[in-house]
Every structure is written in structure tokens, then in C-alpha cells.
Amino acid sequence: AAGAPKPLPSSGPKSLREMPHPLATSSSEEMGPPLTPSPDLLLPRSIADKDLSLPNGTPVDTSSPASSSSLLNRLQLDDDLDVETRDLFVTVDDPKKHVCTMETYITYRVTTKTTRAEFDLPEYSVRRRYQDFDWLRNKLEESQPTHLIPPLPEKFVVKGVVDRFSEEFVETRRKALDKFLKRITDHPVLSFNEHFNVFLTAKDLNAYKKQGMALLSKMGESVKYVTGGYKLRSRPLEFAAIGDYLDTFSLKLGTIDRIAQRIIKEQLEYLVELREYGPVYSTWGGLEVELSEPLEGVSACIGNCCTALEELSEDMTEDFLPVLREYILYAESMKNVLKKRDQVQAEYEAKLEAVALKREDRPKVPTDVEKCQDRVECFNADLKADMERWQNNKRQDFRQLLMGMADKNIQYYEKCLTAWESIIPLLQDKPETK
Amino acid sequence: MEDCLAKKMEITVSEAEKRTGRNAMNIQETYTAYLIETRAVESQNEGQCAPVESLWRRYSEFELLRNYLSVTYPHIVVPPLPEKRADFVWHKLSADNMDPDFVERRRIGLENFLLRVASHPVLCQDKIFYAFLMQEGGWKEMVNETGFQLKADSRLKALNATFRVKSPDKRFTELKHYSDELQSVISHLLRVRARVADRLYGVYKVHGNYGRVFSEWSAIEKEMGDGLQSAGHHMDVYAASIDDILEEEEHYADQLKEYLFYAEALRAVCRKHELMQYDLEMAAQDLTSKKQQCEELATGTVRTFSLKGMTSKLFGQETPEQREAKIKVLEEQIQEGEEQLKSKNLEGRDFVKSAWADIERFKEQKNHDLKEALISYAVMQISMCKKGIQVWTNAKECFSKM
């Protein structure tokens, strides 16, 4: 039977900076020449030099490298990330269309303002297109497999059905890309990722991309750990609970998406009828003498309501639905991370079992099993921390989203109310006796 | 001017009841009977309230009354009855005549009809109308004894007149066009309104689904749960609110329908004028031709071609005695004709005068009523908007507590 994971014997408190990330090395037994601090773990000087202790005063046990990044997560979580303590700001705006011989595409301006030491300059402004964001996301998934990477808006758009260059589509996408980068910016680990840094700063991202490909092929699948073929017996309760939660969550969001779409559809059909309804009053007004103005007034009023309704439907389509879909995508990618975690645990348990079966009288657990254990613990810690953050952000995001939906409806009714209230005096008006 | 009946008497159609009975062909049928209650308006000094009198009538009796009034007072724009069958319905409403909502709206419509007649300066004085309100038994016989059916103009005759009349009063021609256009535009309006109601119903009801899914979602949430759950409740309230809103709107639709049918009554007056005018023109034409014939016979000259003239030329002339006899007959007919023409002219002028007076009265009533209807419609919309703002504000507050 697999033994309980034991902590590694302490080699004394080391600066976090010097400790290689347990997941940065390959699964091979031999440790290669000591790597320079992996690109995946660039820690701010400030934390590395401090005597670490949790906010409640208990000293932190930094002996287990497994908890290093999650430690950072936890410390950062307790910080209120208001504007003053933030040192990195990223914005996506200014979409522009580029027409080339081979293709037409949109680029967005990505503006960065920062005081972080990892950045050479305090400000950057670069242009990026969707595939650059896609590249970034893939890189983050590869290099930070234990973390929840925010979703991107859908990649593929059915040509002919949706106009990729329409103002509405571009704006919706821009908002989603902006949200994507902001989520990374807010993440205590992801925001220090080297690829993210390059994405924000490099003038020629394509050159870096090519370079990165070459590097990767040299190092082999060093960062990407392939854990195929191991089957997990059972998910630990807390992760099973997360899995169940995500399943139900996705389901409910899917239902809400369908309901919202149905409402928009019904509203548009209502709008079609209203557009025919209003002008009939006008036609009638043309027949009448004394009733002419009141009837025209009603016609104009209905016209105003049509405009208001159109705005409501547009807002819901552009602002509400995309965020909903983002979260469905988020949940999907999170479920995948959970599966990866299962894989890592399964590998560990399998190896542990293999060792136990050998029945060797070895008090010491072999190195590669130790590494597996580290990986499991690290993964679990990162995932838990990210889940907590995700839950909090999700609550805020949905609070904002749903309040926004309520607001839009309120505004719609207020516009209609104003229109109808303003014609009451017109309707009551008695024509002057001539 | 004598006070109209409406001022002297309270009239209500207070109840509707389903009945079964045997009709004229001894076949069993189900129908609705309406209770008409009347009470004389007493002056303050009396102190006591007069007793309520009541009787039951069915829709077909109302129809009989209206037909009688239309024929007897062709120069009056006779108030219309509420629709016989449910028309312009949107999907939720039943097109079934036995449906309680339809029956209720019809009850109100019938009461409105009686009040309209009772407040009309001419119609309210009619004895048959009074009997309709007060005398349950033998009323039908009374109406039939007036012989009004005989006075009714045939539809065909009226149609014929429409096409052949040469110089109708211009005002009536304009009015005819107006009433045609009014019918068309109100029909269109009612049809679209029904579709609008249908769609609006759909929009509101789908929101009810939010209630259920928010409730289910709240079950897996910790902090967000309460906010979601209570917001869902408000979505249910929102979805349910449309029923009352649309029911109120039906009253507006009924007001429009009344004037849709009023347009037909207006048209009927125009038709009567056309008929009378045509009649007059025919009579004048007839008189002219007879005079001409007379002249020809007397002078022996044939001014116009006539088959008789040709045949007499071909087959021999008539004897002077025969000619004299003919002239005498014609002169008599001409005398009659001239008198008839005079009275027809007088009739025509009287008709135009009294019809036009009632039309002016009707126009004022129409403008007033429709303005009121539009105001009440606007008020309904305002109420709907306010309810919407309330619900969404409540929902927003729930969301804010998430």
C-alpha cells in the first residue's frame, strides 16, 4: 500500500529564488546541470528576502518546495488588491483592421503600465492579434499546468453567419481579451510568467515564438509532463466536490445561456410586431382631424419604445451572453486541469505501489517517487488556492453581470416610461376652439 | 329638449347565465342569457331608492332590437353591438363563445350598448327600446308587429345604388370613404395589437425559467445562494405579471372594436343616403321621360328614337282617340310623378339634415371616446413600465447581495 506522503528532509531554509520548481525538471531520474531559476518561477525580490510568515503570525515552513508557489498565492490572496498595491495594469483597446494580400485581420493595442522590476520600462504599447492571445494561453497552459488559466473568447467563428469585422463582434471580442489579460494580471503566479512578460513587451512577438519553438524542441518536453496511461482509483473528496460543482455549474450556466438567448429571440419577434404596430396609429392619424396629433403622438411613442428595446437586446447579446459563455469555457478548462491533477496523482500512486510491491527494506523512498509526491502536493496546493480565488472572482463577476442585466432592463423600462408619460399631456390637450 | 333615458334611469347588464333550451327547430342548444336591471333615478327628496326591475335577454334579442332601430332610424348612426364571435384573438385568449372571459367582456359590451342607446336623444325615446328594457314577455311579437322587416332595404338594391347614383351629396361620399378607411385601419390595428400581445406574453413567460434555474444554481453556491434564490423569485413575479397587464389591454381593444363596428353603422347611413338619392334620380328620370313621351304624342314629333315610335311608323299610326287616351294616362302619371318627386326631394333633404346632425354628434362622441381610450392605453403602458422597474430593481438588489 502506498505510504503517506512524507515531507522531504529539510536542507535548511533557502531563498525561494534558488529553489528550482519541482515541476520544471523532466521526469527522468537524473538531475541535469542545475538550471538557472526556471522561467516559470520568477519571484519578486521583496518576498524572497523577507522572513516569511503568514499574516496570522505563524512562521512559514518553506522546507517543502511543494508549497512555494501556493504559499505565494495564499499571501497574495490576503492582500486587498486595490489600486495602491497593484503594480501592473494592462488594457486592451483600439482595434484596427489590417488588410493584407494573404488575409485580413484585426489587431488590438495592448497597453501596460507597471513598476515591477521584471519589466525594463514602466510603460509598453504593443499590437496583438487573436492568434497571439491564443499562443499566450497555450504557453501558459504548458508552463503553468497546475493553475487555472482564464479562457479566451471562442476561436472559430462561422463565416457567413457572423461578421468577424462588424463593430459589435470586434468590441465583444476586445472586451473578452481585455478580461483575459486582466485575469492573468491579477494572478500572483501567472502574472510573473515569462511568456506573459514577452507578450506584453516584445515588439516582434513572432520572432520570440519561433525561438521558443526551437528551445522547446531542444529541451524536449521538459515543462510539459506527459502522464499518460495512469488511471486514478478515486478522486480525493475535495477535488471530487470541485468536479461535481463544476459539472453542475456548467449545466446551470448552459441553461441560463439558453434562456437568455430565448428571451432575446422573443424580444426581437416582439420588436418586429411593434415596428408594424406604431405606424398604423400614424396612418389613422392621417384620417382624422382632431385626433391627428394624439394618434401621431402614440405612434412616435411606440417608435421610441422600439428603439429602447433594440438597445436592450443588443446589450444583452453583446455584454451578457459572452461573459456567460466565457465562464462555461472556464469551467471546461478547469475540469481538464482537474483531470491532469488526477493523472499526476495516479502516476504517483502507481509508482508508490510498484515500490511497495518490491518489498525492499528501504526506509528511504526513491527519488522519482518523491518527485511525484512533490508534484501531487504542489498541484493540489496550487489548484486549491486558484479555486478559492476563482470562486471569489466568480462571485464578483456574476454579481456584476446580473446586476448589469437588471440595470439594462430598468433602463429599458425607464425609457419607455418617459416616452409614455410625455404624451399624456398631448393626449389630454383640448384643441382651441376656432 | 327632453332628457334622455339614461339620465332618468340606471341601466345595467349585471349577470350572465348559461342556459339550455330548445330553439325554433326544436333542437336543444346552449346559450347565454343576460340579466338587465333597471332602476328609476329618484330625486333626493324621495329619500328612498326605487325598486330594481329586471329581466333576462339573450344576444339574439339584442340583435333583433338593433336591427329594428337601424331600419326605423336610418338617419341615425346606431350604436353597434359587441362582436358576436371572438375575433382578433391572440393565442392565450379563447375564441370560444362560452369562455367565461369572453362572456364577461360581452356582458360589459351589451351594457355599453344599452347605455349608448339610452343616452341618444332620438333613440332613447323609442317605445320598443323601452319595452326591451322593461317587458320580458311578448316583446318579440311587439317588434315583429311593427313590420320593420318590410321597410328594410335589400342589400342588393343598396349595392346597385352605390354604383349608379350620379350626384350624391359630396359630404356623404367623403364620409363613406372615411368610414371605409376607418374600418380598414382599426382592423389592421387590432390584428397587429393581438400579435404584439402574443409576443409580449412570450417575453414575460420565458423569464419565469430564470426562477427555476436560479433556484437550482443557488443550491450549489455558498455565498451567492441567497441572492440568486430571491432574485429568482422576482423573475417569477415578473413572468406572472403579464396576465393582468394583457387582460386590462383587452378593454382597450374592446373600445377600438366598438368604433370599428361604429364605422359600419356610419357606412349604413351613407348607404341609405345613396339609396334615397338614387331613388330620387330614378324618379326624376322617369318623370322626364314621361313628359317627353307626352310631348311627342301631343305634337307628333319624334325627338328621340324609341322602339314604339319606330314600330308605329312601320306598322301604322294609331288613331287619334288612342293617342288622346295615352296622353291622358301620361298626364295623370306625370302629375303623380311630380308630387312623388316633390315629397322624395323633401324626404331627401330632411334625411340629409337630420343625418348630418347625428353625424356631427357622433363625430364629437367619437373624438372624445377615442381620446379617452388612448389616454387609458397610455396609462396602462405607464403602469406596466413602473411594474417592470419595480421588479428589476428588486432583482438587482438581490443580485447586489450575492
Side-chain angles (χ1 to χ4, degrees), chain A residues 245 252 281 288 394 413, chain B residues 178 216 221 238 252 366:
Chain A
Y245 170 83
K252 294 309 150 194
Y281 280 100
E288 300 286 341
K394 172 213 78 184
Y413 278 113
Chain B
Y178 169 76
E216 290 166 3
E221 297 290 344
Y238 181 73
Y252 171 69
K366 175 204 79 175

Side-chain angles (χ1 to χ4, degrees), chain B residues 97-304:
Chain B
N97 282 5
M98 287 295 161
D99 179 73
D101 283 332
F102 177 76
V103 169
E104 174 56 19
R105 294 204 340 271
R106 194 190 243 192
R107 181 194 67 73
I108 295 169
L110 290 174
E111 184 178 290
N112 186 52
F113 167 74
L114 291 178
L115 290 171
R116 291 271 194 214
V117 176
S119 18
H120 191 285
V122 173
L123 298 176
C124 72
Q125 298 180 47
D126 188 275
K127 299 280 180 287
I128 299 287
F129 173 61
Y130 188 79
F132 180 86
L133 295 174
M134 307 302 287
Q135 181 186 321
E136 185 147 26
W139 177 80
K140 259 200 204 152
E141 289 73 20
M142 200 199 245
V143 184
N144 290 331
E145 269 165 30
T146 62
F148 79 93
Q149 279 103 337
L150 302 167
K151 284 196 241 161
D153 298 314
S154 82
R155 246 334 209 220
L156 192 62
K157 196 170 163 201
L159 196 65
N160 197 35
T162 306
F163 286 119
R164 297 203 183 174
V165 68
K166 289 205 184 80
S167 33
D169 187 314
K170 216 191 225 166
R171 292 180 298 173
F172 279 98
T173 314
E174 277 170 22
L175 188 67
K176 188 177 73 165
H177 286 151
Y178 169 76
S179 60
D180 283 342
E181 310 246 282
L182 188 68
Q183 261 186 317
S184 164
V185 87
I186 297 184
S187 300
H188 189 191
L189 195 64
L190 285 167
R191 259 179 286 124
V192 184
R193 192 212 70 89
R195 294 203 303 260
V196 166
D198 219 0
R199 293 301 179 191
L200 190 62
Y201 183 79
V203 171
Y204 270 75
K205 286 302 177 192
V206 180
H207 279 85
N209 294 329
Y210 273 145
R212 190 173 47 239
V213 75
F214 283 169
S215 182
E216 290 166 3
W217 183 11
S218 72
I220 58 167
E221 297 290 344
K222 296 189 193 90
E223 288 166 60
M224 278 168 54
D226 286 339
L228 273 175
Q229 177 92 325
S230 44
H233 161 73
H234 290 297
M235 290 294 98
D236 287 333
V237 169
Y238 181 73
S241 68
I242 191 66
D243 295 303
D244 284 345
I245 289 169
L246 288 178
E247 199 182 299
E248 236 198 300
E249 259 197 41
E250 280 309 308
H251 293 298
Y252 171 69
D254 284 340
Q255 286 174 296
L256 292 180
K257 274 182 212 170
E258 195 195 11
Y259 276 92
L260 173 68
F261 304 141
Y262 250 130
E264 180 53 49
L266 208 59
R267 192 74 178 71
V269 176
C270 296
R271 238 181 284 129
K272 184 69 186 179
H273 164 76
E274 278 172 351
L275 241 156
M276 289 179 79
Q277 182 66 18
Y278 180 64
D279 221 13
L280 185 74
E281 286 171 7
M282 287 290 100
Q285 206 177 78
D286 190 52
L287 188 66
T288 312
S289 92
K290 283 206 163 77
K291 281 184 175 165
Q292 224 165 58
Q293 269 179 54
C294 206
E295 201 197 306
E296 284 167 23
L297 283 174
T299 60
T301 56
V302 179
R303 243 191 262 136
T304 56

Side-chain angles (χ1 to χ4, degrees), chain A residues 257-300:
Chain A
D257 182 64
R258 277 193 300 280
I259 295 171
Q261 276 188 66
R262 176 88 188 274
I263 289 175
I264 291 169
K265 175 172 172 278
E266 297 281 343
Q267 279 173 343
L268 290 176
E269 287 175 348
Y270 171 55
L271 187 62
V272 166
E273 302 300 347
L274 269 187
R275 284 228 168 91
E276 194 183 325
Y277 186 50
V280 181
Y281 280 100
S282 195
T283 307
W284 188 0
L287 286 180
E288 300 286 341
V289 175
E290 203 180 306
L291 292 174
S292 171
E293 263 184 50
L295 288 166
E296 279 296 338
V298 171
S299 177

